[in-house]
Structures are given as C-alpha cells and as structure tokens.
Amino acid sequence: STGSGGDLIIGASDDVQIKTNNNSIAINCEGALSVDLYYNNAKKFETAGYGTYTSGTSKADNFGVNDSGKYYVGSGNDLEIYHDGNNSYIKDAGTGNLLIDQSTANVLYLRSDDLRLSSYTGTETYIDCNVNGSVELYYNDVKQVQTTADGVGFVNNCTFSDNKKIQMGAGNDLQIYHD
C-alpha cells in the first residue's frame, strides 16, 4: 500500500523478507526483533537489542563515537578506545600484553610536547620527557638521572660494578676505575 506522500509501506503480521531474483534473501525483518541484511545469501548486518552486529569487514570514510562512547575489540571487550570529553584512552582490559608492533624496518614515532611513562595508577613515574628541556629517569618514583643543557646530571650516586671504568678524552687518556 502507499502512505501519504507516495511512500511505500509493506506490512505483515510477522516477518517480512525481500529476496533477489535467484530467491536469495537480501533483507529479513524478524517481527519486532531484528532487521538483517544479506550479501550473497550470507548475513552481514543485523540489529539487536544491544545495537548492531556486523559480520565480515566493515569499511567507511569516517567512523564516529560520541564522548564517553567506546570502541571495543575482542569477544570480551579486551581493548577499549574512547574519549571521555577531556582525555583520550587506549585501554587494554583483557589478558596478555598490549603490543604496539612496528613490523617493518621503519621507525615508530610517539609525538607529544611532553611524554610521561608511569604506572597504571599514575602514582609512580618511570620516565618524564619535557619539550625543549630535560629527560628524567626515575627509580621507585625518585628522580635519579636527568639531561641538562650541560649534559647529564645524576641526582644521587653514580654506581659502577667492579672492573668497570669511567673513560674520558678522545683517547680515553683519563680513566677512573676500581678493581
């Protein structure tokens, strides 16, 4: 039947199917439950109470999620990518490690004006890199080494094992060591 404005309305007391000329299902509407889209008689997209499910590879020019909406990967939502309105997150919530794998001979770049590596809770700093400034190394959240305009500075003692040397000069002509 047609509705107002020339719309085509298809109604049924239960399911509605649209099939191609070779009797393959293209669209299947299961009562008030779901709408399924098929390609070559294989289900590729379905609606459900939780949202939608896609089978196979999805491609898009853009994919957007609102603030605090999450993009999940893994059957147990093991990996989350999201933005909470203030900060952006890549969170590994599953088993195993989070690996950033540069599998070619190219260089992996992390770009930021300041870079800090810290514990999960953020209570212990490991490395602190500051734009146009120092790089600081920490042990148990206490700064031990930092770069300066003059070179490298040690906050505490610089310890060497036995039979190791501090060598200075182009020909290593000054050596300090303990055997």
Side-chain angles (χ1 to χ4, degrees), residues 101-148:
D101 188 356
Q102 176 66 345
S103 59
T104 64
N106 295 327
V107 176
L108 174 65
Y109 289 95
L110 297 177
R111 295 182 181 194
S112 177
D113 284 345
D114 294 308
L115 176 66
R116 289 177 182 82
L117 297 178
S118 66
S119 62
Y120 172 74
T121 59
T123 58
E124 188 167 329
T125 300
Y126 307 139
I127 300 173
D128 192 357
C129 307
N130 302 288
V131 68
N132 298 321
S134 65
V135 174
E136 302 166 349
L137 301 178
Y138 289 75
Y139 177 81
N140 199 22
D141 205 38
V142 176
K143 182 171 34 171
Q144 299 296 319
V145 179
Q146 67 182 16
T147 59
T148 67

Side-chain angles (χ1 to χ4, degrees), residues 1-23:
S1 67
T2 58
S4 62
D7 296 335
L8 174 63
I9 300 172
I10 300 172
S13 61
D14 195 14
D15 298 344
V16 173
Q17 287 186 341
I18 298 176
K19 295 184 176 186
T20 62
N21 60 356
N22 65 356
N23 209 29

Side-chain angles (χ1 to χ4, degrees), residues 22-134:
N22 65 356
N23 209 29
S24 294
I25 298 172
I27 300 173
N28 185 45
C29 304
E30 295 186 30
L33 297 177
S34 71
V35 175
D36 306 327
L37 302 179
Y38 288 76
Y39 175 80
N40 199 19
N41 226 19
K43 188 189 306 186
K44 296 297 180 179
F45 185 85
E46 68 181 84
T47 62
Y50 58 82
T52 62
Y53 177 79
T54 303
S55 174
T57 301
S58 297
K59 296 181 179 181
D61 291 334
N62 294 294
F63 180 78
V65 177
N66 292 329
D67 284 347
S68 299
K70 295 182 179 182
Y71 176 71
Y72 292 104
V73 179
S75 59
N77 297 334
D78 301 320
L79 179 67
E80 301 175 10
I81 301 173
Y82 64 98
H83 180 78
D84 67 5
N86 295 307
N87 298 300
S88 298
Y89 298 87
I90 299 174
K91 182 178 180 183
D92 177 20
T95 58
N97 299 314
L98 174 62
L99 305 174
I100 300 173
D101 188 356
Q102 176 66 345
S103 59
T104 64
N106 295 327
V107 176
L108 174 65
Y109 289 95
L110 297 177
R111 295 182 181 194
S112 177
D113 284 345
D114 294 308
L115 176 66
R116 289 177 182 82
L117 297 178
S118 66
S119 62
Y120 172 74
T121 59
T123 58
E124 188 167 329
T125 300
Y126 307 139
I127 300 173
D128 192 357
C129 307
N130 302 288
V131 68
N132 298 321
S134 65

